[in-house]
Amino acid sequence: MMRWQTQRYIQNARGFTLLELLVVMVIIGLLAAYVGPKYFSQVGRSEIRMAQAQIDALEKSLHQYRLDVGSYPSTENGLAALMVSPNNEPRWNGPYLSKTPPDDPWGRPYIYKYPGDRSEFDLFSLGRDGQPGGEAEAADITNW
């Protein structure tokens, strides 16, 4: 480019105006307001699916424990019996899990009860709200 063309190019090159930046920011805000709630509702559903999968895996480990020992672990021994032999149980052939039993997706331990009120043993999470009962994402996730 010749010198006078370079100077002319520099004079014509300008930044965005404040109005243009504001319009872009409003558009981005509207998109975020539309997409945000849809995204976060998916997160809630994925936490529920994760809790269901973890309960299923723990349930299978408990069944394997019962096959070896002859009964499910007591409520007092809980899910820890899947990792460490309770009271030096002679028929215990574990560990039945590769790592310590996980907490539910909301950071609370799963509740285990044997004998169960609703099935042979009860294994459940109180859901997002941590309270018994609830609906939708706050509902309990159970093995029954």
Side-chain angles (χ1 to χ4, degrees):
M1 286 179 147
M2 298 174 83
R3 182 177 173 169
W4 62 271
Q5 288 176 325
T6 303
Q7 286 178 343
R8 189 168 185 190
Y9 176 75
I10 291 172
Q11 289 173 351
N12 288 337
R14 59 185 182 97
F16 295 105
T17 66
L18 181 59
L19 182 61
E20 291 168 331
L21 290 173
L22 287 173
V23 167
V24 169
M25 289 176 62
V26 166
I27 292 171
I28 291 172
L30 290 171
L31 287 173
Y34 178 73
V35 173
K38 292 180 185 279
Y39 170 75
F40 288 112
S41 72
Q42 293 295 327
V43 170
R45 280 188 234 140
S46 68
E47 288 172 332
I48 292 169
R49 283 192 297 270
M50 177 186 279
Q52 290 168 336
Q54 288 175 337
I55 285 175
D56 185 52
L58 290 169
E59 195 172 20
K60 287 176 182 166
S61 297
L62 287 163
H63 291 312
Q64 185 62 46
Y65 178 97
R66 184 183 62 89
L67 288 173
D68 289 348
V69 175
S71 68
Y72 293 105
S74 67
T75 301
E76 294 78 31
N77 290 329
L79 298 175
L82 298 173
M83 294 299 298
V84 178
S85 176
N87 304 325
N88 296 319
E89 174 64 50
R91 294 177 11 198
W92 188 85
N93 195 23
Y96 298 95
L97 294 171
S98 59
K99 54 185 177 179
T100 59
D103 287 340
D104 69 15
W106 302 280
R108 293 182 295 274
Y110 286 100
I111 300 168
Y112 170 75
K113 193 169 156 186
Y114 176 75
D117 295 330
R118 307 232 178 161
S119 64
E120 205 166 1
F121 62 87
D122 293 346
L123 180 61
F124 60 98
S125 165
L126 295 175
R128 177 182 293 282
D129 63 354
Q131 303 295 320
E135 296 179 10
E137 291 181 14
D140 298 348
I141 296 112
T142 66
N143 71 319
W144 60 83

PDB file of all heavy atoms in Angstrom, residues 110-139:
ATOM      1  N   TYR A 110     -26.191 -41.855  51.569  1.00  0.00           N
ATOM      2  CA  TYR A 110     -27.412 -42.609  51.320  1.00  0.00           C
ATOM      3  C   TYR A 110     -27.883 -43.226  52.633  1.00  0.00           C
ATOM      4  O   TYR A 110     -27.075 -43.566  53.499  1.00  0.00           O
ATOM      5  CB  TYR A 110     -27.165 -43.709  50.286  1.00  0.00           C
ATOM      6  CG  TYR A 110     -27.034 -43.167  48.886  1.00  0.00           C
ATOM      7  CD1 TYR A 110     -25.787 -42.989  48.309  1.00  0.00           C
ATOM      8  CD2 TYR A 110     -28.158 -42.802  48.164  1.00  0.00           C
ATOM      9  CE1 TYR A 110     -25.668 -42.475  47.030  1.00  0.00           C
ATOM     10  CE2 TYR A 110     -28.041 -42.288  46.888  1.00  0.00           C
ATOM     11  CZ  TYR A 110     -26.797 -42.121  46.329  1.00  0.00           C
ATOM     12  OH  TYR A 110     -26.684 -41.599  45.074  1.00  0.00           O
ATOM     13  N   ILE A 111     -29.181 -43.373  52.767  1.00  0.00           N
ATOM     14  CA  ILE A 111     -29.759 -43.943  53.976  1.00  0.00           C
ATOM     15  C   ILE A 111     -30.030 -45.427  53.706  1.00  0.00           C
ATOM     16  O   ILE A 111     -30.666 -45.778  52.718  1.00  0.00           O
ATOM     17  CB  ILE A 111     -31.048 -43.201  54.367  1.00  0.00           C
ATOM     18  CG1 ILE A 111     -30.719 -41.736  54.625  1.00  0.00           C
ATOM     19  CG2 ILE A 111     -31.706 -43.854  55.575  1.00  0.00           C
ATOM     20  CD1 ILE A 111     -31.927 -40.842  54.751  1.00  0.00           C
ATOM     21  N   TYR A 112     -29.496 -46.269  54.590  1.00  0.00           N
ATOM     22  CA  TYR A 112     -29.649 -47.718  54.458  1.00  0.00           C
ATOM     23  C   TYR A 112     -30.327 -48.235  55.722  1.00  0.00           C
ATOM     24  O   TYR A 112     -29.971 -47.840  56.834  1.00  0.00           O
ATOM     25  CB  TYR A 112     -28.275 -48.369  54.288  1.00  0.00           C
ATOM     26  CG  TYR A 112     -28.308 -49.869  54.385  1.00  0.00           C
ATOM     27  CD1 TYR A 112     -28.805 -50.638  53.339  1.00  0.00           C
ATOM     28  CD2 TYR A 112     -27.859 -50.519  55.529  1.00  0.00           C
ATOM     29  CE1 TYR A 112     -28.849 -52.017  53.426  1.00  0.00           C
ATOM     30  CE2 TYR A 112     -27.894 -51.903  55.626  1.00  0.00           C
ATOM     31  CZ  TYR A 112     -28.397 -52.635  54.569  1.00  0.00           C
ATOM     32  OH  TYR A 112     -28.446 -54.004  54.660  1.00  0.00           O
ATOM     33  N   LYS A 113     -31.280 -49.122  55.533  1.00  0.00           N
ATOM     34  CA  LYS A 113     -32.026 -49.679  56.665  1.00  0.00           C
ATOM     35  C   LYS A 113     -32.337 -51.149  56.389  1.00  0.00           C
ATOM     36  O   LYS A 113     -32.906 -51.470  55.346  1.00  0.00           O
ATOM     37  CB  LYS A 113     -33.314 -48.885  56.821  1.00  0.00           C
ATOM     38  CG  LYS A 113     -34.045 -49.107  58.095  1.00  0.00           C
ATOM     39  CD  LYS A 113     -35.122 -48.035  58.179  1.00  0.00           C
ATOM     40  CE  LYS A 113     -36.238 -48.465  59.063  1.00  0.00           C
ATOM     41  NZ  LYS A 113     -37.332 -47.520  59.047  1.00  0.00           N
ATOM     42  N   TYR A 114     -31.906 -52.022  57.320  1.00  0.00           N
ATOM     43  CA  TYR A 114     -32.222 -53.441  57.199  1.00  0.00           C
ATOM     44  C   TYR A 114     -32.696 -53.948  58.549  1.00  0.00           C
ATOM     45  O   TYR A 114     -32.013 -53.743  59.549  1.00  0.00           O
ATOM     46  CB  TYR A 114     -31.000 -54.239  56.750  1.00  0.00           C
ATOM     47  CG  TYR A 114     -31.272 -55.726  56.709  1.00  0.00           C
ATOM     48  CD1 TYR A 114     -32.030 -56.269  55.690  1.00  0.00           C
ATOM     49  CD2 TYR A 114     -30.802 -56.564  57.711  1.00  0.00           C
ATOM     50  CE1 TYR A 114     -32.302 -57.634  55.656  1.00  0.00           C
ATOM     51  CE2 TYR A 114     -31.072 -57.917  57.681  1.00  0.00           C
ATOM     52  CZ  TYR A 114     -31.814 -58.442  56.655  1.00  0.00           C
ATOM     53  OH  TYR A 114     -32.089 -59.787  56.626  1.00  0.00           O
ATOM     54  N   PRO A 115     -33.821 -54.587  58.623  1.00  0.00           N
ATOM     55  CA  PRO A 115     -34.778 -54.859  57.558  1.00  0.00           C
ATOM     56  C   PRO A 115     -35.502 -53.575  57.162  1.00  0.00           C
ATOM     57  O   PRO A 115     -35.690 -52.672  57.966  1.00  0.00           O
ATOM     58  CB  PRO A 115     -35.733 -55.883  58.161  1.00  0.00           C
ATOM     59  CG  PRO A 115     -35.613 -55.700  59.642  1.00  0.00           C
ATOM     60  CD  PRO A 115     -34.236 -55.180  59.904  1.00  0.00           C
ATOM     61  N   GLY A 116     -35.915 -53.549  55.921  1.00  0.00           N
ATOM     62  CA  GLY A 116     -36.543 -52.352  55.394  1.00  0.00           C
ATOM     63  C   GLY A 116     -38.026 -52.279  55.697  1.00  0.00           C
ATOM     64  O   GLY A 116     -38.666 -53.279  56.016  1.00  0.00           O
ATOM     65  N   ASP A 117     -38.572 -51.092  55.600  1.00  0.00           N
ATOM     66  CA  ASP A 117     -40.007 -50.888  55.779  1.00  0.00           C
ATOM     67  C   ASP A 117     -40.770 -51.186  54.493  1.00  0.00           C
ATOM     68  O   ASP A 117     -41.920 -51.608  54.531  1.00  0.00           O
ATOM     69  CB  ASP A 117     -40.294 -49.436  56.195  1.00  0.00           C
ATOM     70  CG  ASP A 117     -39.699 -49.110  57.554  1.00  0.00           C
ATOM     71  OD1 ASP A 117     -39.593 -50.022  58.403  1.00  0.00           O
ATOM     72  OD2 ASP A 117     -39.346 -47.932  57.775  1.00  0.00           O
ATOM     73  N   ARG A 118     -40.140 -50.953  53.352  1.00  0.00           N
ATOM     74  CA  ARG A 118     -40.831 -51.087  52.072  1.00  0.00           C
ATOM     75  C   ARG A 118     -40.350 -52.255  51.227  1.00  0.00           C
ATOM     76  O   ARG A 118     -41.005 -52.657  50.288  1.00  0.00           O
ATOM     77  CB  ARG A 118     -40.665 -49.807  51.270  1.00  0.00           C
ATOM     78  CG  ARG A 118     -41.089 -48.586  52.046  1.00  0.00           C
ATOM     79  CD  ARG A 118     -42.034 -47.808  51.271  1.00  0.00           C
ATOM     80  NE  ARG A 118     -42.490 -46.664  52.035  1.00  0.00           N
ATOM     81  CZ  ARG A 118     -43.029 -45.641  51.487  1.00  0.00           C
ATOM     82  NH1 ARG A 118     -43.165 -45.586  50.191  1.00  0.00           N
ATOM     83  NH2 ARG A 118     -43.453 -44.647  52.222  1.00  0.00           N
ATOM     84  N   SER A 119     -39.162 -52.752  51.497  1.00  0.00           N
ATOM     85  CA  SER A 119     -38.630 -53.909  50.780  1.00  0.00           C
ATOM     86  C   SER A 119     -37.705 -54.653  51.727  1.00  0.00           C
ATOM     87  O   SER A 119     -37.638 -54.326  52.912  1.00  0.00           O
ATOM     88  CB  SER A 119     -37.902 -53.471  49.497  1.00  0.00           C
ATOM     89  OG  SER A 119     -36.776 -52.698  49.819  1.00  0.00           O
ATOM     90  N   GLU A 120     -36.992 -55.633  51.205  1.00  0.00           N
ATOM     91  CA  GLU A 120     -36.107 -56.417  52.065  1.00  0.00           C
ATOM     92  C   GLU A 120     -35.125 -55.512  52.813  1.00  0.00           C
ATOM     93  O   GLU A 120     -34.849 -55.707  53.989  1.00  0.00           O
ATOM     94  CB  GLU A 120     -35.360 -57.448  51.214  1.00  0.00           C
ATOM     95  CG  GLU A 120     -34.915 -58.625  51.999  1.00  0.00           C
ATOM     96  CD  GLU A 120     -34.495 -59.778  51.113  1.00  0.00           C
ATOM     97  OE1 GLU A 120     -34.536 -59.658  49.874  1.00  0.00           O
ATOM     98  OE2 GLU A 120     -34.115 -60.803  51.684  1.00  0.00           O
ATOM     99  N   PHE A 121     -34.596 -54.533  52.106  1.00  0.00           N
ATOM    100  CA  PHE A 121     -33.803 -53.471  52.732  1.00  0.00           C
ATOM    101  C   PHE A 121     -34.180 -52.174  52.036  1.00  0.00           C
ATOM    102  O   PHE A 121     -34.580 -52.177  50.882  1.00  0.00           O
ATOM    103  CB  PHE A 121     -32.292 -53.741  52.638  1.00  0.00           C
ATOM    104  CG  PHE A 121     -31.768 -53.794  51.236  1.00  0.00           C
ATOM    105  CD1 PHE A 121     -31.371 -52.640  50.581  1.00  0.00           C
ATOM    106  CD2 PHE A 121     -31.668 -55.004  50.568  1.00  0.00           C
ATOM    107  CE1 PHE A 121     -30.885 -52.691  49.279  1.00  0.00           C
ATOM    108  CE2 PHE A 121     -31.184 -55.071  49.274  1.00  0.00           C
ATOM    109  CZ  PHE A 121     -30.795 -53.914  48.630  1.00  0.00           C
ATOM    110  N   ASP A 122     -34.085 -51.077  52.759  1.00  0.00           N
ATOM    111  CA  ASP A 122     -34.383 -49.766  52.189  1.00  0.00           C
ATOM    112  C   ASP A 122     -33.081 -49.026  51.957  1.00  0.00           C
ATOM    113  O   ASP A 122     -32.228 -48.956  52.850  1.00  0.00           O
ATOM    114  CB  ASP A 122     -35.277 -48.943  53.126  1.00  0.00           C
ATOM    115  CG  ASP A 122     -36.671 -49.522  53.271  1.00  0.00           C
ATOM    116  OD1 ASP A 122     -37.036 -50.392  52.463  1.00  0.00           O
ATOM    117  OD2 ASP A 122     -37.389 -49.093  54.195  1.00  0.00           O
ATOM    118  N   LEU A 123     -32.924 -48.499  50.775  1.00  0.00           N
ATOM    119  CA  LEU A 123     -31.754 -47.716  50.400  1.00  0.00           C
ATOM    120  C   LEU A 123     -32.273 -46.516  49.641  1.00  0.00           C
ATOM    121  O   LEU A 123     -32.943 -46.671  48.615  1.00  0.00           O
ATOM    122  CB  LEU A 123     -30.811 -48.560  49.523  1.00  0.00           C
ATOM    123  CG  LEU A 123     -29.539 -47.891  49.035  1.00  0.00           C
ATOM    124  CD1 LEU A 123     -28.655 -47.458  50.194  1.00  0.00           C
ATOM    125  CD2 LEU A 123     -28.785 -48.833  48.115  1.00  0.00           C
ATOM    126  N   PHE A 124     -31.998 -45.311  50.156  1.00  0.00           N
ATOM    127  CA  PHE A 124     -32.581 -44.136  49.510  1.00  0.00           C
ATOM    128  C   PHE A 124     -31.817 -42.863  49.825  1.00  0.00           C
ATOM    129  O   PHE A 124     -30.995 -42.817  50.740  1.00  0.00           O
ATOM    130  CB  PHE A 124     -34.059 -43.987  49.895  1.00  0.00           C
ATOM    131  CG  PHE A 124     -34.322 -43.832  51.369  1.00  0.00           C
ATOM    132  CD1 PHE A 124     -34.521 -42.574  51.926  1.00  0.00           C
ATOM    133  CD2 PHE A 124     -34.395 -44.937  52.189  1.00  0.00           C
ATOM    134  CE1 PHE A 124     -34.774 -42.437  53.279  1.00  0.00           C
ATOM    135  CE2 PHE A 124     -34.660 -44.810  53.539  1.00  0.00           C
ATOM    136  CZ  PHE A 124     -34.849 -43.554  54.093  1.00  0.00           C
ATOM    137  N   SER A 125     -32.130 -41.851  49.035  1.00  0.00           N
ATOM    138  CA  SER A 125     -31.638 -40.486  49.226  1.00  0.00           C
ATOM    139  C   SER A 125     -32.856 -39.598  49.413  1.00  0.00           C
ATOM    140  O   SER A 125     -33.908 -39.843  48.815  1.00  0.00           O
ATOM    141  CB  SER A 125     -30.851 -40.032  47.993  1.00  0.00           C
ATOM    142  OG  SER A 125     -30.665 -38.628  48.019  1.00  0.00           O
ATOM    143  N   LEU A 126     -32.727 -38.578  50.227  1.00  0.00           N
ATOM    144  CA  LEU A 126     -33.845 -37.666  50.458  1.00  0.00           C
ATOM    145  C   LEU A 126     -33.966 -36.605  49.373  1.00  0.00           C
ATOM    146  O   LEU A 126     -34.807 -35.716  49.469  1.00  0.00           O
ATOM    147  CB  LEU A 126     -33.699 -37.012  51.839  1.00  0.00           C
ATOM    148  CG  LEU A 126     -33.805 -37.976  53.016  1.00  0.00           C
ATOM    149  CD1 LEU A 126     -33.525 -37.262  54.319  1.00  0.00           C
ATOM    150  CD2 LEU A 126     -35.147 -38.664  53.040  1.00  0.00           C
ATOM    151  N   GLY A 127     -33.161 -36.689  48.344  1.00  0.00           N
ATOM    152  CA  GLY A 127     -33.277 -35.766  47.220  1.00  0.00           C
ATOM    153  C   GLY A 127     -32.646 -34.411  47.494  1.00  0.00           C
ATOM    154  O   GLY A 127     -31.937 -34.216  48.474  1.00  0.00           O
ATOM    155  N   ARG A 128     -32.917 -33.473  46.609  1.00  0.00           N
ATOM    156  CA  ARG A 128     -32.297 -32.156  46.665  1.00  0.00           C
ATOM    157  C   ARG A 128     -32.562 -31.431  47.982  1.00  0.00           C
ATOM    158  O   ARG A 128     -31.681 -30.791  48.546  1.00  0.00           O
ATOM    159  CB  ARG A 128     -32.782 -31.295  45.501  1.00  0.00           C
ATOM    160  CG  ARG A 128     -32.227 -29.876  45.523  1.00  0.00           C
ATOM    161  CD  ARG A 128     -32.751 -29.031  44.388  1.00  0.00           C
ATOM    162  NE  ARG A 128     -32.280 -29.476  43.101  1.00  0.00           N
ATOM    163  CZ  ARG A 128     -31.078 -29.243  42.591  1.00  0.00           C
ATOM    164  NH1 ARG A 128     -30.198 -28.558  43.288  1.00  0.00           N
ATOM    165  NH2 ARG A 128     -30.750 -29.685  41.410  1.00  0.00           N
ATOM    166  N   ASP A 129     -33.804 -31.519  48.491  1.00  0.00           N
ATOM    167  CA  ASP A 129     -34.158 -30.737  49.678  1.00  0.00           C
ATOM    168  C   ASP A 129     -33.718 -31.377  50.993  1.00  0.00           C
ATOM    169  O   ASP A 129     -33.727 -30.733  52.034  1.00  0.00           O
ATOM    170  CB  ASP A 129     -35.657 -30.447  49.709  1.00  0.00           C
ATOM    171  CG  ASP A 129     -36.505 -31.701  49.824  1.00  0.00           C
ATOM    172  OD1 ASP A 129     -35.952 -32.821  49.777  1.00  0.00           O
ATOM    173  OD2 ASP A 129     -37.737 -31.557  49.956  1.00  0.00           O
ATOM    174  N   GLY A 130     -33.331 -32.661  50.976  1.00  0.00           N
ATOM    175  CA  GLY A 130     -32.886 -33.321  52.193  1.00  0.00           C
ATOM    176  C   GLY A 130     -34.006 -33.617  53.176  1.00  0.00           C
ATOM    177  O   GLY A 130     -33.739 -33.951  54.324  1.00  0.00           O
ATOM    178  N   GLN A 131     -35.247 -33.522  52.742  1.00  0.00           N
ATOM    179  CA  GLN A 131     -36.415 -33.769  53.590  1.00  0.00           C
ATOM    180  C   GLN A 131     -37.194 -34.959  53.046  1.00  0.00           C
ATOM    181  O   GLN A 131     -37.259 -35.146  51.837  1.00  0.00           O
ATOM    182  CB  GLN A 131     -37.333 -32.537  53.618  1.00  0.00           C
ATOM    183  CG  GLN A 131     -36.661 -31.260  54.092  1.00  0.00           C
ATOM    184  CD  GLN A 131     -36.225 -31.354  55.537  1.00  0.00           C
ATOM    185  OE1 GLN A 131     -36.932 -31.902  56.365  1.00  0.00           O
ATOM    186  NE2 GLN A 131     -35.035 -30.850  55.826  1.00  0.00           N
ATOM    187  N   PRO A 132     -37.826 -35.742  53.928  1.00  0.00           N
ATOM    188  CA  PRO A 132     -38.637 -36.862  53.428  1.00  0.00           C
ATOM    189  C   PRO A 132     -39.782 -36.366  52.547  1.00  0.00           C
ATOM    190  O   PRO A 132     -40.337 -35.291  52.773  1.00  0.00           O
ATOM    191  CB  PRO A 132     -39.178 -37.508  54.710  1.00  0.00           C
ATOM    192  CG  PRO A 132     -38.274 -37.041  55.797  1.00  0.00           C
ATOM    193  CD  PRO A 132     -37.767 -35.700  55.377  1.00  0.00           C
ATOM    194  N   GLY A 133     -40.097 -37.154  51.532  1.00  0.00           N
ATOM    195  CA  GLY A 133     -41.173 -36.792  50.613  1.00  0.00           C
ATOM    196  C   GLY A 133     -40.670 -35.828  49.553  1.00  0.00           C
ATOM    197  O   GLY A 133     -39.530 -35.875  49.140  1.00  0.00           O
ATOM    198  N   GLY A 134     -41.537 -34.949  49.131  1.00  0.00           N
ATOM    199  CA  GLY A 134     -41.161 -33.959  48.124  1.00  0.00           C
ATOM    200  C   GLY A 134     -41.641 -34.371  46.751  1.00  0.00           C
ATOM    201  O   GLY A 134     -42.084 -35.499  46.531  1.00  0.00           O
ATOM    202  N   GLU A 135     -41.553 -33.428  45.832  1.00  0.00           N
ATOM    203  CA  GLU A 135     -41.985 -33.659  44.456  1.00  0.00           C
ATOM    204  C   GLU A 135     -40.907 -33.200  43.493  1.00  0.00           C
ATOM    205  O   GLU A 135     -40.066 -32.386  43.834  1.00  0.00           O
ATOM    206  CB  GLU A 135     -43.281 -32.893  44.178  1.00  0.00           C
ATOM    207  CG  GLU A 135     -44.462 -33.362  45.004  1.00  0.00           C
ATOM    208  CD  GLU A 135     -45.719 -32.567  44.705  1.00  0.00           C
ATOM    209  OE1 GLU A 135     -45.729 -31.798  43.734  1.00  0.00           O
ATOM    210  OE2 GLU A 135     -46.683 -32.728  45.458  1.00  0.00           O
ATOM    211  N   ALA A 136     -40.978 -33.708  42.276  1.00  0.00           N
ATOM    212  CA  ALA A 136     -40.061 -33.352  41.185  1.00  0.00           C
ATOM    213  C   ALA A 136     -38.621 -33.552  41.637  1.00  0.00           C
ATOM    214  O   ALA A 136     -38.254 -34.637  42.062  1.00  0.00           O
ATOM    215  CB  ALA A 136     -40.326 -31.946  40.698  1.00  0.00           C
ATOM    216  N   GLU A 137     -37.776 -32.523  41.572  1.00  0.00           N
ATOM    217  CA  GLU A 137     -36.366 -32.663  41.918  1.00  0.00           C
ATOM    218  C   GLU A 137     -36.143 -32.803  43.407  1.00  0.00           C
ATOM    219  O   GLU A 137     -35.070 -33.207  43.843  1.00  0.00           O
ATOM    220  CB  GLU A 137     -35.577 -31.477  41.364  1.00  0.00           C
ATOM    221  CG  GLU A 137     -35.489 -31.476  39.871  1.00  0.00           C
ATOM    222  CD  GLU A 137     -34.694 -30.301  39.325  1.00  0.00           C
ATOM    223  OE1 GLU A 137     -33.985 -29.627  40.091  1.00  0.00           O
ATOM    224  OE2 GLU A 137     -34.789 -30.065  38.109  1.00  0.00           O
ATOM    225  N   ALA A 138     -37.130 -32.479  44.223  1.00  0.00           N
ATOM    226  CA  ALA A 138     -37.013 -32.617  45.672  1.00  0.00           C
ATOM    227  C   ALA A 138     -37.513 -33.976  46.161  1.00  0.00           C
ATOM    228  O   ALA A 138     -37.467 -34.254  47.347  1.00  0.00           O
ATOM    229  CB  ALA A 138     -37.792 -31.491  46.358  1.00  0.00           C
ATOM    230  N   ALA A 139     -37.982 -34.831  45.262  1.00  0.00           N
ATOM    231  CA  ALA A 139     -38.527 -36.139  45.651  1.00  0.00           C
ATOM    232  C   ALA A 139     -37.418 -37.075  46.108  1.00  0.00           C
ATOM    233  O   ALA A 139     -36.260 -36.948  45.700  1.00  0.00           O
ATOM    234  CB  ALA A 139     -39.273 -36.758  44.471  1.00  0.00           C
TER     235      ALA A 139
END
